[in-house]
Amino acid sequence: MNLIEKTIGKEEIFEGKIIKVSRDTVELPNGELATRELVEHPGGVAVVALDNEQNVYMVRQFRYPFQQVVLEIPAGKLDPGEEIQVCCIRELEEETGLSADRLDYLGRFMVSPGFCKEWIHIYLARNLTVGKAHLDPDEFLEVETIPLDTLIDMIMRDEIQDGKTVIGLLKAQEFIRREQ
């Protein structure tokens, strides 16, 4: 069965600092027309920074859309033309002051494929060196370390709800398990 939708028209609605929004007209597999709203985002990187005692460096920051402080793994947006691993290294250092001698790529995921064209790439950072964070001028966060096992328990108790954090921590745990 053909499941492909063919784009036959695009109306640019908004272009901001981070996202672009369009309303697209598509031809469905049955020949009918439909409208799709699309948010385009340059993508990002998220990092599970794990120390030698199996503690993960986490950040707490206010997330405006949900009006709450969220516990997350360090993450950030890809700059135009920026390599994924370079973004990983940059964001880890900016938010936590950490650098890592070992980076393992854990994969990528679609943030919300029903309307948003954004990929987040996940890395596991190990053999960490502590330095000084240098946040963006509009970035306010707190860094803390929490044992990986505790974070997995928090996920299962629904205390961590950020998608990149849930996926990153679970993938990191499985990656480590498979190494043993």
Side-chain angles (χ1 to χ4, degrees), residues 7-14 20-26 34-40:
T7 304
I8 60 172
K10 181 181 261 323
E11 175 191 0
E12 300 292 335
I13 296 172
F14 173 79
K20 293 180 187 178
V21 180
S22 65
R23 184 179 300 116
D24 296 359
T25 302
V26 299
T35 301
R36 300 288 184 248
E37 294 172 346
L38 174 65
V39 175
E40 294 186 58

Side-chain angles (χ1 to χ4, degrees), residues 73-177:
I73 57 177
K77 179 182 71 66
L78 282 160
D79 289 336
E82 185 177 31
E83 302 249 347
I84 296 164
Q85 188 167 325
V86 170
C87 180
C88 169
I89 293 165
R90 176 178 53 79
E91 286 295 334
L92 182 62
E93 183 180 347
E94 282 181 7
E95 292 190 1
T96 66
L98 296 170
S99 59
D101 286 339
R102 179 174 176 187
L103 290 173
D104 292 299
Y105 185 68
L106 300 180
R108 65 183 184 162
F109 70 95
M110 300 171 187
V111 174
S112 189
F115 72 93
C116 185
K117 186 178 179 181
E118 177 186 5
W119 289 98
I120 292 184
H121 301 266
I122 303 172
Y123 281 88
L124 173 60
R126 291 183 281 187
N127 301 337
L128 305 174
T129 301
V130 178
K132 185 173 174 13
H134 43 92
L135 302 173
D136 293 334
D138 64 347
E139 198 170 32
F140 301 89
L141 53 84
E142 295 175 351
V143 178
E144 60 187 89
T145 57
I146 301 173
L148 178 58
D149 289 342
T150 300
L151 291 167
I152 300 301
D153 290 341
M154 292 171 73
I155 289 170
M156 299 311 293
R157 290 192 306 264
D158 206 27
E159 295 172 18
I160 296 177
Q161 299 170 327
D162 171 60
K164 70 183 173 304
T165 301
V166 170
I167 293 168
L169 292 170
L170 292 173
K171 287 188 99 167
Q173 179 190 46
E174 181 62 13
F175 185 86
I176 292 162
R177 186 191 68 78

